[in-house]
Amino acid sequence: MKSVTVQNLLDRFSMEVLAGHDHLERVIAKSKTHRPGLEFVGYFDFFSHAHVQVLGSKEINYLHTLSEEERNLRIGNVVKYHPPCFVVTRNQEGLKYLKKYCEEEGIPLLRTPERTSKFVDLMDTYLAKALASEIAIHGVCVNVSGIGILLRGKSGVGKSETAHTLIHRGHRLVADDVVVLKKISPETIIGTHNGTSKEFLALRSIGLINVSRLYGRRAFQDETRIVLDIELTKWQDNTLNNDLELEPKFTEYMDVRIPSIEIQLQPGRDVAGLVEAAANNWYLRQQGYSAMEDFMKRLQND
């Protein structure tokens, strides 16, 4: 199972350590933060104790209203579950009692200047990606007019060359050769690079190029949601039809179904243009438009 540590959070976010300096390697294995409001009033039936615990103004102000004896009881009941860490938002102060319990239990207590809602959104997004199930596949990932596309096919079929043409037309490279797919929700797959190959594109007869250096920063983006899977294959006569509407096909990655099509390559065929058409057609379908239905209505009205 994937995990991150409290130190990873410190490396990613602007936070100070108020307690638990010697326990920053504590592991976080859950992808959602939790605000322990109900737990501070004694309700623990559904306590998400393995999550990062975020204390906003509501939680801290409530604790400030309690007597010292009651406050110690409420905090003690929560820290005994040993959550990975506590994060206090909005640079709130008066946390001496929290520091005491966190030091005693070896739980990092962190503080951020961010507003609670914004911090929760940022942290949840980071953890969802950092803890997401992932696989690496051979292919190319591009973003075409805001639409994430995975280009697959046998080695040498022309995936990278197609990506290069798309970049030249103003679209963006995400990953070449090795595409890392991450499942961040039951319906969502994002594609990204493996770090080593970031910004690089390998072109036969040319070699390795850095698309950001060659075409500017707009030629590359770090990740994209994959919504279309395109397999590039060599041309074979009489294997593709001219149906007005093709039967929907899908490819599954980690149990997420992605719409899939095949594009055959042939000298002189504008493959990049066909990829653009596929992306734009997918977008129109999401808006509820079907070219086939539109065409049939016109026939009926003739």
Side-chain angles (χ1 to χ4, degrees), residues 162-171 215:
T162 300
H164 179 258
T165 303
L166 289 167
I167 293 167
H168 202 61
R169 294 182 181 182
H171 306 296
Y215 298 112

Side-chain angles (χ1 to χ4, degrees), residues 47-239:
F47 183 24
S48 304
H49 59 85
H51 298 243
V52 172
Q53 306 296 311
V54 178
L55 305 178
S57 298
K58 292 179 180 179
E59 291 81 12
I60 296 300
N61 288 336
Y62 169 73
L63 292 174
H64 286 342
T65 65
L66 302 177
S67 66
E68 181 177 354
E69 181 180 0
E70 182 69 12
R71 186 165 55 229
N72 289 340
L73 174 64
R74 299 300 186 188
I75 295 173
N77 286 340
V78 171
V79 299
K80 71 181 182 182
Y81 285 89
H82 286 88
C85 67
F86 290 96
V87 180
V88 176
T89 60
R90 304 177 72 95
N91 273 342
Q92 296 177 90
E93 299 183 348
L95 306 174
K96 182 178 180 180
Y97 50 88
L98 267 177
K99 293 180 184 178
K100 171 179 176 294
Y101 274 94
C102 287
E103 286 290 1
E104 290 177 355
E105 299 294 333
I107 303 171
L109 174 63
L110 315 175
R111 182 164 62 184
T112 174
E114 293 286 358
R115 292 181 293 106
T116 308
S117 58
K118 180 180 179 181
F119 178 79
V120 167
D121 287 344
L122 292 172
M123 180 64 74
D124 284 351
T125 299
Y126 167 75
L127 290 175
K129 293 177 181 177
L131 298 174
S133 300
E134 66 178 50
I135 58 173
I137 67 167
H138 176 66
V140 177
C141 183
V142 291
N143 183 282
V144 177
S145 299
I147 297 168
I149 296 177
L150 185 62
L151 299 176
R152 294 183 298 107
K154 293 182 179 180
S155 181
V157 76
K159 300 182 298 295
S160 298
E161 289 79 1
T162 300
H164 179 258
T165 303
L166 289 167
I167 293 167
H168 202 61
R169 294 182 181 182
H171 306 296
R172 297 177 176 179
L173 174 72
V174 176
D176 180 44
D177 191 33
V178 178
V179 180
V180 178
L181 301 180
K182 295 187 176 185
K183 181 180 179 180
I184 62 172
S185 82
E187 301 85 24
T188 306
I189 296 285
I190 62 171
T192 186
H193 51 80
N194 64 0
T196 304
S197 61
K198 179 180 178 180
E199 302 175 316
F200 290 112
L201 184 66
L203 299 173
R204 290 175 183 266
S205 303
I206 303 297
L208 204 62
I209 65 170
N210 185 310
V211 298
S212 295
R213 294 292 185 92
L214 204 58
Y215 298 112
R217 288 298 307 167
R218 290 177 60 85
F220 172 82
Q221 73 179 55
D222 208 50
E223 62 184 32
T224 188
R225 180 186 176 190
I226 302 295
V227 299
L228 192 57
D229 177 86
I230 298 179
E231 183 179 11
L232 302 182
T233 61
K234 293 183 179 180
W235 184 270
Q236 298 180 40
D237 291 336
N238 304 316
T239 58

